Amino acid sequence: MAGLWRGYQALMTKYPWTVQIVTAGSLVGVGDVISQQLIERRGLANHNVQRTAKMMSIGFFFVGPVIGSWYKVLDRLVVGGTKSAAMKKMLVDQLCFAPCFLGAFLCISGALNGLTVEENVTKLRRLWPPVQIANFYFIPLHHRLAVVQVVAVAWNSYLTWKANKM
């Protein structure tokens, strides 16, 4: 496990943008697999691979690039590594970025899954500010997207389950 982490760190140092995007897309896909297998209990024979591919594409082409870019902007907007700076970053993130991001995510997932925006908006009301405070206080900029995505596997499982629930 330590070897995997060192390899990940080496790749992150050499190709930070690519690794962050691949990590985001992969973890959105993992969220969908967890949703289908553990929440929906579809079993491997009934796993919807096309749905997982759709969710991964959202992760690769939307979630990873958008959140990765946002964290860079946010680090320039709110400078510092103090608890106060972490709180400010969390507030700016949750009050300014999250509503826009969720709106865009809902439009994209709705378009790919045939669900209306209204159906998705009523299902997705809460984000997880405590994770963001810890993320902005303890985690270096180039690892933030990965930390958020690891925590978000559960969130992504919920999102894909709700977004794909007929």
Side-chain angles (χ1 to χ4, degrees), residues 5-21:
W5 180 248
R6 280 191 300 275
Y8 180 81
Q9 293 281 42
L11 287 171
M12 181 65 85
T13 301
K14 194 169 184 177
Y15 310 104
W17 187 246
T18 303
V19 172
Q20 288 179 44
I21 290 171

Side-chain angles (χ1 to χ4, degrees), residues 1 20 27 29 77 108 141:
M1 191 62 149
Q20 288 179 44
L27 290 172
L77 288 174
I108 291 168
L141 173 62

Side-chain angles (χ1 to χ4, degrees), residues 34-102:
I34 290 170
S35 173
Q36 290 191 52
Q37 297 305 314
L38 299 180
I39 297 171
E40 299 169 38
R41 300 191 184 275
R42 288 176 172 240
L44 293 177
N46 294 318
H47 186 87
N48 186 341
V49 176
Q50 184 178 7
R51 181 179 122 181
T52 300
K54 283 181 193 177
M55 295 310 295
M56 287 179 75
S57 70
I58 292 172
F60 290 133
F61 298 110
F62 177 70
V63 175
V66 170
I67 293 179
S69 297
W70 168 243
Y71 284 162
K72 289 178 184 178
V73 169
L74 189 57
D75 234 38
R76 285 188 222 118
L77 288 174
V78 182
V79 180
T82 64
K83 290 178 187 176
S84 174
M87 182 63 78
K88 288 176 188 173
K89 287 177 184 179
M90 186 276 302
L91 289 171
V92 171
D93 180 67
Q94 295 301 301
L95 296 174
C96 300
F97 176 74
C100 299
F101 176 81
L102 275 178

Side-chain angles (χ1 to χ4, degrees), residues 53-165:
K54 283 181 193 177
M55 295 310 295
M56 287 179 75
S57 70
I58 292 172
F60 290 133
F61 298 110
F62 177 70
V63 175
V66 170
I67 293 179
S69 297
W70 168 243
Y71 284 162
K72 289 178 184 178
V73 169
L74 189 57
D75 234 38
R76 285 188 222 118
L77 288 174
V78 182
V79 180
T82 64
K83 290 178 187 176
S84 174
M87 182 63 78
K88 288 176 188 173
K89 287 177 184 179
M90 186 276 302
L91 289 171
V92 171
D93 180 67
Q94 295 301 301
L95 296 174
C96 300
F97 176 74
C100 299
F101 176 81
L102 275 178
F105 179 86
L106 293 174
C107 290
I108 291 168
S109 66
L112 289 177
N113 295 311
L115 300 175
T116 67
V117 173
E118 295 81 20
E119 290 171 328
N120 283 316
V121 168
T122 59
K123 295 174 184 178
L124 306 170
R125 297 257 180 208
R126 292 179 53 189
L127 287 175
W128 19 274
V131 171
Q132 294 297 65
I133 292 171
N135 192 28
F136 292 129
Y137 186 65
F138 296 112
I139 308 300
L141 173 62
H142 62 281
H143 290 298
R144 286 186 191 146
L145 180 60
V147 168
V148 167
Q149 287 301 309
V150 167
V151 172
V153 167
W155 175 251
N156 292 336
S157 298
Y158 174 78
L159 271 180
T160 59
W161 173 62
K162 285 296 191 179
N164 292 286
K165 190 176 177 183

